[in-house]
Amino acid sequence: MKYMSNNKLLRQVNKTIVVAIMLIVALALLFLWLMYGGHNCWLSGYGDILSGIAAMVSGVLLYVTLGFQNRSFKQERFEITFYNLLDQRRIIIESVFFKCEDLNGALFKQKKYQGELAFVKAWRDIEYMYKSLSSSRYIGAMDEEDEYNNILNYQNTPPVDDMVNNAQDYCYCKRVNYTYDITKKTYDEIRCAIDELEKCKRCYEILLNHKSFATERYFRFLSIILSLLEEVKEEKYCKILLAQMSKEELQIINCQALIDEEFYICLANAEIIKLLENEFVFANK
């Protein structure tokens, strides 16, 4: 694999240590031969000391070698498991689906999206909810009875608003108000939220309560990957995981962390939460 540089380094260190042990053993044998072969009798008085030192050094180097080999084995086993899970993630992500409405001409048509597109469309609806709830006034809802005429009117005369400044966005904002039952009362409650983080959290909760976004299997599997990352706590593997995800998927994960304390703890323990927060950009920012 292209991410195995650590293992290559460990293998190189292991080779160096093995060579060092072989040299020490060779020197020890040379000294013994010199002492007992009569070529250098003055060494005979230090035979036991030299033998002890050689044995001790060899033992230490052997212990270090075994330690490196064990670490190398654990690293290799982790990486094999990690990259296998990333491959499985591509399959699991297809289990995610989202039912929503898309503007088709002058009418809204319901569609079902799977995989990465499900995250894209879910985040789109959250953004429109956010815009609607951040507007200076409640813009109302658009039901089936008046959608055709209203959409045509908005397309001919685009509305002007501080948060919604084009016809298509205005239609979507009114439609999500209808789809997710965002009333004037809901608008008044959420618009007074203390900060944007809380407002985004409320939008995500509204989306989930609608039961049109299926992510349960996805988040269970992602928690398994996070528990594996928790064991090594290396930033490069966290970055590799995040690099597999679209911007919208990262946004949804961050939203999930806002409402699910256990999932947030998984992200924090894997030391991925800061990286994720850096990727997270609110709507309208």
Side-chain angles (χ1 to χ4, degrees):
M1 294 180 184
K2 62 182 178 180
Y3 301 105
M4 297 290 284
S5 57
N6 283 351
N7 286 341
K8 290 181 180 178
L9 178 61
L10 289 173
R11 285 194 290 269
Q12 186 62 40
V13 172
N14 288 342
K15 290 179 181 178
T16 303
I17 293 174
V18 169
V19 171
I21 291 175
M22 293 175 66
L23 287 174
I24 291 172
V25 171
L27 287 173
L29 291 173
L30 177 62
F31 280 129
L32 289 173
W33 180 74
L34 290 172
M35 285 186 294
Y36 298 108
H39 296 285
N40 212 344
C41 295
W42 67 271
L43 288 172
S44 59
Y46 302 96
D48 292 340
I49 296 175
L50 291 173
S51 298
I53 292 174
M56 182 178 66
V57 172
S58 297
V60 170
L61 289 175
L62 181 61
Y63 175 79
V64 172
T65 300
L66 293 175
F68 272 108
Q69 286 178 338
N70 184 51
R71 189 182 306 172
S72 177
F73 172 73
K74 288 182 178 178
Q75 180 80 5
E76 188 168 353
R77 185 177 61 181
F78 164 80
E79 291 192 348
I80 289 173
T81 304
F82 177 67
Y83 293 115
N84 282 339
L85 286 175
L86 288 187
D87 288 338
Q88 288 298 313
R89 177 190 164 275
R90 297 186 183 94
I91 299 173
I92 295 296
I93 201 171
E94 289 303 315
S95 69
V96 178
F97 69 83
F98 180 60
K99 295 178 181 178
C100 65
E101 291 182 316
D102 281 335
L103 189 58
N104 184 6
L107 294 172
F108 281 98
K109 300 291 184 180
Q110 189 174 80
K111 292 185 179 181
K112 179 179 177 180
Y113 294 95
Q114 287 186 255
E116 292 185 358
L117 270 177
F119 290 107
V120 172
K121 296 298 183 178
W123 181 248
R124 181 205 63 182
D125 275 14
I126 291 173
E127 283 189 306
Y128 283 127
M129 277 189 269
Y130 184 94
K131 286 183 177 182
S132 175
L133 293 167
S134 300
S135 180
S136 59
R137 60 184 179 83
Y138 178 64
I139 63 176
M142 182 187 294
D143 58 22
E144 284 85 353
E145 293 183 3
D146 62 359
E147 66 173 301
Y148 182 80
N149 290 329
N150 280 337
I151 290 172
L152 289 178
N153 290 335
Y154 296 142
Q155 289 174 342
N156 293 328
T157 308
V160 178
D161 190 88
D162 53 342
M163 295 299 294
V164 188
N165 53 19
N166 67 70
Q168 179 171 293
D169 284 1
Y170 197 78
C171 292
Y172 269 109
C173 287
K174 288 176 71 72
R175 189 63 176 181
V176 296
N177 283 349
Y178 170 73
T179 301
Y180 299 101
D181 195 26
I182 300 175
T183 63
K184 178 67 164 59
K185 180 180 179 181
T186 308
Y187 166 82
D188 291 336
E189 290 175 353
I190 296 180
R191 190 169 184 274
C192 296
I194 297 174
D195 54 30
E196 294 172 338
L197 196 65
E198 179 64 23
K199 192 180 294 183
C200 193
K201 174 185 174 182
R202 292 293 298 275
C203 290
Y204 184 63
E205 288 175 333
I206 291 172
L207 184 90
L208 294 183
N209 289 336
H210 193 252
K211 307 295 183 182
S212 57
F213 192 30
T215 58
E216 182 180 352
R217 187 182 178 195
Y218 168 83
F219 280 114
R220 284 204 310 268
F221 189 80
L222 184 57
S223 295
I224 293 173
I225 298 179
L226 293 175
S227 65
L228 185 67
L229 291 175
E230 183 181 346
E231 296 178 10
V232 295
K233 297 184 184 298
E234 287 192 33
E235 186 176 287
K236 74 169 186 176
Y237 296 112
C238 298
K239 288 183 175 180
I240 290 170
L241 174 62
L242 296 184
Q244 309 292 311
M245 303 176 181
S246 66
K247 179 186 73 174
E248 291 80 10
E249 186 176 349
L250 292 172
Q251 308 281 37
I252 295 297
I253 288 173
N254 214 322
C255 285
Q256 183 69 22
L258 294 176
I259 68 165
D260 186 340
E261 186 176 356
E262 289 186 7
F263 183 66
Y264 177 87
I265 292 173
C266 286
L267 292 170
N269 289 342
E271 297 186 353
I272 200 173
I273 191 68
K274 291 299 180 183
L275 292 173
L276 185 61
E277 287 173 352
N278 291 337
E279 297 285 347
F280 186 60
V281 181
F282 288 116
N284 309 312
K285 273 198 169 184

